[in-house]
Amino acid sequence: MKRLVPLSICVFILWLPSVVEAQQKVPILVYHSIEEFHGHGSKELYVSPDNFEKQMNFLKENGYTLLTFERWKDIRNVNKPIFITFDDGYKNNLNAFTLFKKLTTERFKPSGTIFVISDFIGQSNRLSKTDLKLLADSGFISIQSHTATHPDLTKIVNYNDELKGSKVKIEQMTGKPVIALSYPYGNFNDQVVLVTKRVYMYGITTTPGPYIKKGIKNELYLLPRTYVKNSTTLEEFKKIVKTD
Ligand SMILES: [Zn+2]
């Protein structure tokens, strides 16, 4: 009987890490505009700079690590990994950049990903080429692709300009690799995943919920994201980002 005790401890220790890994939750958040809503477009797609600051402060005070997709593999090595993403490349995302700089300390290094629509770059309410270069060089923001023209990818047949074309164009502007694609409207199907795999390392949906590794096929092309909306309260935000 005595000999059995150490053996059972060994079995327990071997079993423990796989359980911890299986339960790890990685929230991936999606924002659009970081600005007060002034009556243009859908109100829910605007988060005020004030609310955004409260949300990021919560992450700072509670030991989260803000990652970008270049550091995907670090989800296993850092405390409370979380991804902050912004779709559509609005000019007002500069407000997020300003806040990230403000919140930076020795211990807290915020970062986020802006998914830009490459043909829309430089339009009046969108980030310009100069903005993108500045953001990419800052180390706070990774610039990734949200296609060239924002089509529903499940309804087109020629993907080249949308996937490869947008990637090349953005890389030329930022001088940094584009490795992640956020599907417009969150829409994808088997064919979209297949073509995305040829060009990108990650495909990002808007299927809600945190990422939990399941080991299923094409998992990195089906990454879930949860919307943070104009109406999201801080209490709701805390539930969205819960990692245990
Ligand atoms: Zn979009």
Side-chain angles (χ1 to χ4, degrees), residues 32 87-88 146 150 184-185:
H32 287 75
D87 273 7
D88 298 350
H146 195 30
H150 207 271
Y185 315 103

Side-chain angles (χ1 to χ4, degrees), residues 4-244:
L4 273 177
V5 174
L7 178 68
S8 60
I9 290 171
C10 273
V11 169
F12 179 74
I13 289 167
L14 284 172
W15 167 81
L16 193 61
S18 63
V19 170
V20 170
E21 192 179 300
Q23 288 176 334
Q24 186 188 29
K25 288 182 187 155
V26 183
I28 307 175
L29 309 184
V30 55
Y31 294 86
H32 287 75
S33 284
I34 305 299
E35 194 176 35
E36 297 292 343
F37 178 66
H38 293 299
H40 300 288
S42 166
K43 185 175 179 179
E44 283 291 48
L45 298 182
Y46 286 75
V47 170
S48 71
D50 220 39
N51 280 347
F52 184 69
E53 178 161 0
K54 287 186 182 120
Q55 293 160 4
M56 294 304 112
N57 245 320
F58 176 80
L59 302 180
K60 178 177 176 173
E61 300 306 324
N62 289 277
Y64 284 82
T65 307
L66 278 56
L67 296 177
T68 57
F69 292 92
E70 294 84 351
R71 294 185 62 195
W72 177 261
K73 290 194 170 72
D74 284 353
I75 61 174
R76 303 159 73 118
N77 311 321
V78 301
N79 191 35
K80 294 185 175 178
I82 187 168
F83 291 76
I84 310 298
T85 75
F86 308 85
D87 273 7
D88 298 350
Y90 289 111
K91 192 89 171 171
N92 58 47
N93 289 178
L94 290 171
N95 293 328
F97 172 56
T98 304
L99 180 71
F100 281 176
K101 286 192 285 186
K102 182 176 141 186
L103 292 183
T104 299
T105 60
E106 199 52 52
R107 199 174 53 85
F108 186 69
K109 311 263 183 246
S111 63
T113 303
I114 299 179
F115 288 101
V116 298
I117 305 158
S118 64
D119 280 10
F120 292 7
I121 293 166
Q123 291 184 3
S124 63
N125 61 343
R126 313 275 172 165
L127 295 163
S128 68
K129 191 175 162 181
T130 314
D131 295 329
L132 296 183
K133 179 77 178 131
L134 171 87
L135 292 168
D137 283 346
S138 74
F140 289 94
I141 304 285
S142 170
I143 308 296
Q144 300 295 315
S145 175
H146 195 30
T147 71
T149 67
H150 207 271
D152 178 343
L153 291 175
T154 65
K155 299 208 161 69
I156 65 169
V157 286
N158 189 349
Y159 299 96
N160 197 48
D161 285 353
E162 298 295 345
L163 301 193
K164 182 87 188 185
S166 65
K167 173 185 158 83
V168 169
K169 192 167 168 183
I170 298 163
E171 284 176 342
Q172 280 168 353
M173 289 181 189
T174 63
K176 303 237 165 21
V178 170
I179 57 171
L181 176 78
S182 122
Y183 307 119
Y185 315 103
N187 288 353
F188 62 94
N189 56 22
D190 289 350
Q191 177 65 15
V192 170
V193 168
L194 188 77
V195 290
T196 302
K197 263 179 101 166
R198 294 186 191 136
V199 186
Y200 295 89
M201 293 170 68
Y202 305 97
I204 292 98
T205 75
T206 49
T207 310
Y211 167 77
I212 302 169
K213 187 178 180 182
K214 298 189 189 84
I216 56 168
K217 194 182 172 204
N218 295 331
E219 197 161 37
L220 298 181
Y221 295 89
L222 307 169
L223 294 177
R225 279 191 303 181
T226 306
Y227 273 98
V228 181
K229 300 174 184 164
N230 184 279
S231 62
T232 304
T233 64
L234 192 58
E235 286 314 304
E236 286 167 343
F237 181 83
K238 290 176 189 174
K239 282 185 197 143
I240 292 171
V241 301
K242 234 171 140 13
T243 53
D244 51 24

